Amino acid sequence: MIYSEIIGFGHYLPKKILKNNDLTKIVDTSDEWIYSRTGIKQRHIVNKSELTSDLAIKAAEDAFTQSNTDPSEIDCIIVATTTPDNTFPSTATKVQNYFSIKNIPSFDLQAVCSGFIYSLQVADSFIKSKKSKKIIVIGAETLSKIVDWKDRRTCVLFGDGAGSVILSSTKIKTGVMSTKLYSDGSWHKSLFADGGPSLNQKVGKIRMDGQDVFKQAVNKLSEATEMALSDCGLNISDIDWLVPHQANQRIIKSTAKKLGIESDKTISTVENHANTSAASIPLALSSSLKTGKIKKNDILALCAIGGGLTWGSCILKV
Ligand code: UT7
């Protein structure tokens, strides 16, 4: 049996920080409203000239350095993103070109906030089917570029950033233990961008019925996590850390409670990073591994939900 071991991780956050109080100068909001409803205090924001590929490359460089991996060892690149540099070609091919890794598959995966978990399943399948031996999966977003800065219901929620992991083929039972992915397109109108190449030849801005998504989130995240655990024969008590998508502290807390996981076993970075969509889980993962909060051989339950709706979970031994 072949498994996908995590041999490297990294992340990158743009230098510029926008605090809640800075937002009160743009829209009719307050630090009190944002923090009490979401748990967010600040978000990192790119400069106009900084692209998603720039963030992805920096997160990849960090993982290569951390794991002492030469980029030439990588035989597949997957970038989970909703904010690619161009409509085409993929941001992944820009990363591939930057590192001069020739003749390997590179592609973007679009599943919005669930993109990183979808990408882990794809990477794991490539490794298990012996198509690849060493894959870098990057979640990278510049959501600030598609936020409607006049809409206080959404602009306070999002941030920019990138996180990455390197998966490597091994015969030892570790790494990706199981994944569960779901989608339900009937929720399209609850969370979408009102633009697209085919629709209106524009990029569009984020539109969300927050309460619709909120009501779905806790049940779907906890059910997906229970299904992924059951698939690999583990129980809630086996989990060292819950690493949920970082959209809202209230959703994170309720999901942990529903699963019966103590809050001190839950990773939360939403206060400092806000919602970075496909980058949120790898950012939380990498920053918690770097501080030593998450340790080697810990068993993690990752879970995410986003536009589509798409959602899913991955049980991961790091
Ligand atoms: O990453 C993809 C997944 N996305 C999510 O998981 C997001 C899920 N949804 C949420 O996190 C929450 O629904 C929000 C944080 C988006 C909103 O929180 P809420 O408690 O559901 O608030 P609400 O939408 O019910 O709005 C309550 C009030 C409204 O005023 P009225 O109609 O009661 O007078 C809003 O107009 O808060 C008002 N409001 C604001 N007030 C100050 C909405 N946004 C703001 C704001 N500042 N930024």
Side-chain angles (χ1 to χ4, degrees), residues 27-30 33-34 37-38 112-113 152-154 156-158 191 208-215 217 245-248 250-251 275 277 305-307:
V27 284
D28 179 15
T29 190
S30 65
W33 190 95
I34 301 170
R37 302 274 177 150
T38 69
V112 206
C113 302
R152 70 173 181 173
R153 291 167 305 156
T154 52
V156 302
L157 305 173
F158 297 97
L191 180 50
M208 177 167 73
D209 184 327
Q211 285 208 358
D212 261 7
V213 183
F214 196 111
K215 282 178 200 150
H245 171 48
Q246 305 290 317
N248 185 319
R250 285 154 61 210
I251 296 175
N275 182 347
S277 193
I305 184 162

